[in-house]
Amino acid sequence: MSLPPVIAIDGPTASGKGTVASLVAQKLGFHYLDSGALYRLVALASEKEGIDTQKGPELSLLVPKLLISFKNNQIILNGSDVTEAIRTESIGLRASVVAAHPEVRLALVDLQRSFRQLPGLVADGRDMASVIFPDAILKVFLTATAAARAERRYKQLIAKGISAKLEDLLQDLQARDARDSNRGAAPLVIAEGAKVLETSDLSIDQAVKTVLDWYQSAIA
Ligand code: CDP
């Protein structure tokens, strides 16, 4: 019996992959996996428990202890609503440090694959196409220039009432790109067979439509 179809959407920070992936999932009635949220949850838990971000094996032992549920756009960790708490820039940066440890990545593999359920899954992250779902029916690498991504992140934060500086965001984003691309374990790469979607000059609707068109061609 064949497994439910997966659309893998990978890309650098603030490329809009989360927004595009969740809209594509909605349109198709598919499940949605925000794999970055899992790394952010490990980052948050490690901060709460005072675990050093350099200690891969210790960090990985946290994973089986995390009781995570995604419900109505809320993320609950061990009984607390952490939806907002995991979205800060500092947790994002901490997540990229935590995510560089192969032990942490390995500990999260089964959890990520458990999201693959009928009628299908849209998964977003860095290694969805290369490592977690190498048999994805469609692989998309969604990207935009660093300047466009910093501007998007800036608008997102301001809209939430969080103060931010564009230059600081650009610097953080470049640091995160470098760490995600240069690490040994599952670096951010354009997977073999992935289609590149450059979104600097595309609206969200245009990006979503392109992915849906590609999916229709892939299953035809
Ligand atoms: O929203 P943003 O793209 O800034 O980050 P995210 O997707 O929530 O992921 C946070 C961090 O987790 C990234 O900077 C990556 O280092 C890491 N990550 C990863 O290594 N592999 C994934 N599949 C997803 C996220």
Side-chain angles (χ1 to χ4, degrees):
M1 208 183 76
S2 61
L3 290 163
V6 176
I7 299 177
I9 304 186
D10 293 301
T13 183
S15 55
K17 56 189 185 327
T19 309
V20 171
S22 64
L23 286 170
V24 169
Q26 233 176 60
K27 292 265 182 203
L28 294 171
F30 279 16
H31 299 277
Y32 168 53
L33 166 63
D34 170 4
S35 63
L38 302 179
Y39 290 96
R40 286 171 180 266
L41 287 165
V42 177
L44 184 72
S46 72
E47 191 176 72
K48 283 200 173 136
E49 303 223 352
I51 299 176
D52 186 336
T53 53
Q54 295 310 316
K55 300 200 165 147
E58 278 184 44
L59 292 165
S60 71
L61 292 177
L62 271 176
V63 173
K65 292 197 265 169
L66 303 179
L67 280 175
I68 302 167
S69 80
F70 291 89
K71 254 188 238 149
N72 311 322
N73 295 327
Q74 280 186 328
I75 303 180
I76 313 292
L77 175 63
N78 299 336
S80 310
D81 183 345
V82 295
T83 320
E84 296 294 322
I86 61 163
R87 295 294 158 201
T88 64
E89 283 301 293
S90 78
I91 288 295
L93 278 173
R94 193 176 173 99
S96 83
V97 178
V98 162
H101 295 290
E103 298 88 349
V104 173
R105 307 198 69 83
L106 190 64
L108 286 169
V109 170
D110 289 348
L111 177 59
Q112 293 176 87
R113 291 192 177 142
S114 71
F115 282 77
R116 185 175 197 169
Q117 297 201 4
L118 285 169
L121 174 69
V122 182
D124 98 55
R126 303 292 189 286
D127 60 345
M128 297 298 96
S130 55
V131 176
I132 306 296
F133 304 111
D135 62 338
I137 187 157
L138 173 63
K139 299 178 177 184
V140 179
F141 189 87
L142 201 104
T143 189
T145 61
R149 291 185 282 127
E151 180 124 8
R152 285 178 192 167
R153 183 52 50 95
Y154 178 78
K155 285 186 184 153
Q156 255 175 16
L157 292 171
I158 297 298
K160 281 192 201 159
I162 302 170
S163 72
K165 272 208 200 136
L166 194 59
E167 308 91 84
D168 293 352
L169 291 174
L170 184 62
Q171 264 182 23
D172 283 357
L173 183 145
Q174 284 166 332
R176 194 117 68 93
D177 280 357
R179 197 177 300 123
D180 289 353
S181 306
N182 298 326
R183 69 186 178 211
L188 174 66
V189 286
I190 303 179
E192 213 184 307
K195 289 178 180 288
V196 177
L197 185 55
E198 219 293 338
T199 65
S200 304
D201 298 317
L202 292 186
S203 67
I204 291 170
D205 284 354
Q206 286 170 320
V208 170
K209 184 173 181 312
T210 306
V211 176
L212 289 170
D213 288 349
W214 283 345
Y215 178 65
Q216 290 312 324
S217 308
I219 58 172

